[in-house]
Amino acid sequence: MHSLLSFLYPRYCLLCEGHQQLLGDLNICVACAADLVANHPSCHCCALPMPHLTNSTNEPICCGECLQSAPPFAFSWSPFVYAQPLEWMIHQLKFNAKLAFAPLLSGLMLREFVRLQRHLTLPEVIMPMPLHDNRLRQRGFNQCELLVRPLAQSMSLSVDVDSCKRVRNTEHQTGKNAQQRRKNIKGAFAVRLSKPYRHVVLFDDVVTTASTVMELSRCLLAEGVERVDVWSLARAEK
């Protein structure tokens, strides 16, 4: 049956639509996957890309901004730089509802996570960045939840979508500078923990200036969480 389905509906790369040399069981070819920009080295604290540095020892490094003022979260992991063609793929999922990109992006993230898993402290729970109810109804899905569930399942971690709520329907962060983003997101979240978690991972699809994950991290810490980490699919360069 699987062979018949493969014959009738052959897999293809979602980027170039080619059928040759697909990357494992993912719908992307090896050549297109090579165009993705890996986020290494990056800041251990906020995952900011630091391509100008060489870190042959793989020791944790922090950017100047985090050294001057540490973020409320303890650690960040983001395997890719927010650049083309990944940017286009994320936009296809978020704004054009091309849901076929969700398992592809999750799979790419999982391949990178497996290489780093032994160096990471696993949390008790993963919380995808919440959408306001109005935006969730408009979009029909939370892309962060779609992306993170396969990752959580592979690690036998639960996904909590109830403890964090977006109570203000803020404007899109796209196009805003860091100061505007902080102002826009202030007071946007309410947290009521469903369990007394001590270590939580926040997941966002893209971290740009980190203002959103900082705001929600502060809310979680104020509710008694001892450690917050941030994972994301992609991190934007400055």
Side-chain angles (χ1 to χ4, degrees):
M1 178 61 72
H2 179 74
S3 299
L4 178 60
L5 289 175
S6 298
F7 175 76
L8 294 175
Y9 305 101
R11 290 170 51 222
Y12 63 93
C13 175
L14 291 178
L15 280 172
C16 70
E17 300 186 353
H19 295 273
Q20 303 300 317
Q21 291 188 309
L22 295 180
L23 186 66
D25 59 351
L26 301 180
N27 280 11
I28 189 171
C29 68
V30 173
C32 287
D35 290 334
L36 302 174
V37 183
N39 187 20
H40 183 78
S42 62
C43 175
H44 180 82
C45 300
C46 73
L48 180 72
M50 303 175 73
H52 56 287
L53 296 181
T54 56
N55 187 22
S56 58
T57 63
N58 288 321
E59 291 296 320
I61 53 177
C62 286
C63 67
E65 189 170 329
C66 287
L67 288 173
Q68 290 182 1
S69 178
F73 42 82
F75 167 78
S76 290
W77 172 71
S78 187
F80 299 105
V81 175
Y82 189 53
Q84 299 296 359
L86 186 67
E87 181 177 349
W88 179 83
M89 296 162 69
I90 294 172
H91 276 242
Q92 291 300 305
L93 171 61
K94 289 175 67 170
F95 303 119
N96 293 329
K98 297 298 180 71
L99 300 185
F101 282 95
L104 169 57
L105 295 172
S106 292
L108 289 169
M109 191 165 48
L110 183 58
R111 287 174 67 92
E112 296 300 317
F113 185 84
V114 168
R115 303 173 189 176
L116 297 173
Q117 187 170 356
R118 66 181 182 274
H119 301 299
L120 299 180
T121 302
L122 293 183
E124 299 162 71
V125 66
I126 301 178
M127 296 182 183
M129 184 62 62
L131 292 177
H132 189 271
D133 287 345
N134 290 350
R135 191 164 296 169
L136 183 59
R137 282 193 294 269
Q138 181 184 35
R139 187 172 294 174
F141 59 92
N142 182 343
Q143 74 281 354
C144 293
E145 184 179 349
L146 292 181
L147 291 173
V148 81
R149 280 199 179 277
L151 190 63
Q153 184 177 10
S154 72
M155 296 176 285
S156 300
L157 293 174
S158 61
V159 176
D160 186 334
V161 297
D162 298 317
S163 291
C164 300
K165 299 296 182 182
R166 200 161 193 146
V167 294
R168 281 204 310 110
N169 192 13
T170 56
E171 298 176 4
H172 282 290
Q173 296 282 64
T174 305
K176 290 179 169 56
N177 61 33
Q179 183 177 359
Q180 291 169 332
R181 284 171 179 262
R182 287 192 295 270
K183 183 178 180 181
N184 184 49
I185 206 68
K186 189 69 176 176
F189 301 106
V191 173
R192 186 173 182 179
L193 296 176
S194 58
K195 294 181 181 179
Y197 299 118
R198 298 176 62 188
H199 183 188
V200 169
V201 159
L202 283 180
F203 179 82
D204 207 353
D205 54 345
V206 179
V207 172
T208 306
T209 64
S211 55
T212 303
V213 288
M214 284 186 182
E215 178 69 14
L216 187 47
S217 294
R218 293 187 186 99
C219 294
L220 286 166
L221 293 170
E223 289 299 310
V225 175
E226 296 179 11
R227 170 172 172 164
V228 179
D229 293 338
V230 174
W231 296 353
S232 62
L233 170 62
R235 180 67 159 94
E237 295 180 289
K238 278 196 172 182

